[in-house]
Amino acid sequence: GYELTGWAPPTAFVLRIHPSAAAFSSDVAAAAAEVTRLSGITITMGAFASSPQPDLSGTAAEIVVTTGTYCGLGTIGGTEVWGQSTTTAGSAPIIRDARVSIAPELIADAGLRRATLLHELGHAVGLGHHADRFLGREQIMNPFLDDSMDAYRDGDINGLVAAGRLARAPQSASLHAAASVSAPAASDSRS
């Protein structure tokens, strides 16, 4: 009921909100708390972000939430992930930085905003799209929005648990010793 991206998340992220997304900071915090609760990956709130651009020079893995920056034409959300390759042959690269963006027009629609934030934060911790139904239901990680998606569903939860296990695997220890990957590692735009 889920797909992983092939990128391993770290055990913790600092979540920073760009001023363009400040109006829905409480929604971002609630969605991040849900990811932490289900995956065990710690997401703590940090200071506001001054730029939506990635910053791989910091000591902590970071998720920045903004509006519009990474949304493609006709999409309601997008996530770009940058990473570091591991020093262990065959290990997944580790997510180092994620930029989550939602379309500015969603600011006024709490239901669509919540579904999009849950979906995009799922990508930020290593979940891919899953277009198939699981136990008869569309999942939040489906690439197409269903406005009834106000909570993670069974397949999504299984994926978050798997991402959490991947974060706690030994390869995550190489986060700070790894070489940077300079281009965006993965990108997603949700339709």
Side-chain angles (χ1 to χ4, degrees):
Y2 66 90
E3 302 285 331
L4 296 176
T5 62
W7 286 74
T11 57
F13 284 99
V14 173
L15 178 67
R16 295 163 32 95
I17 299 171
H18 186 266
S20 66
F24 53 92
S25 294
S26 61
D27 294 332
V28 174
E34 189 68 358
V35 172
T36 293
R37 183 180 74 79
L38 295 169
S39 68
I41 297 168
T42 304
I43 301 176
T44 56
M45 296 300 288
F48 276 98
S50 59
S51 169
Q53 299 303 313
D55 176 15
L56 297 174
S57 65
T59 58
E62 189 175 81
I63 298 172
V64 172
V65 177
T66 185
T67 59
T69 306
Y70 298 104
C71 296
L73 186 62
T75 63
I76 61 170
T79 297
E80 288 194 8
V81 174
W82 287 263
Q84 295 182 317
S85 27
T86 63
T87 55
T88 308
S91 293
I94 297 170
I95 298 168
R96 182 68 180 93
D97 194 81
R99 293 302 188 253
V100 168
S101 186
I102 70 167
E105 57 270 19
L106 290 182
I107 291 172
D109 188 322
L112 288 173
R113 188 174 60 240
R114 176 166 172 77
T116 303
L117 284 167
L118 290 171
H119 177 94
E120 299 305 339
L121 287 174
H123 284 315
V125 299
L127 295 182
H129 283 143
H130 186 75
D132 297 329
R133 289 178 174 267
F134 182 72
L135 300 177
R137 296 180 77 194
E138 299 288 341
Q139 304 300 296
I140 285 217
M141 295 312 297
N142 184 298
F144 298 97
L145 181 64
D146 174 340
D147 57 7
S148 71
M149 297 177 178
D150 59 353
Y152 286 116
R153 296 178 174 170
D154 292 331
D156 302 314
I157 293 167
N158 291 343
L160 289 167
V161 169
R165 279 194 307 264
L166 189 56
R168 292 180 293 279
Q171 66 186 357
S172 296
S174 64
L175 176 65
H176 299 293
S180 292
V181 174
S182 59
S187 175
D188 169 63
S189 293
R190 186 169 188 194
S191 302

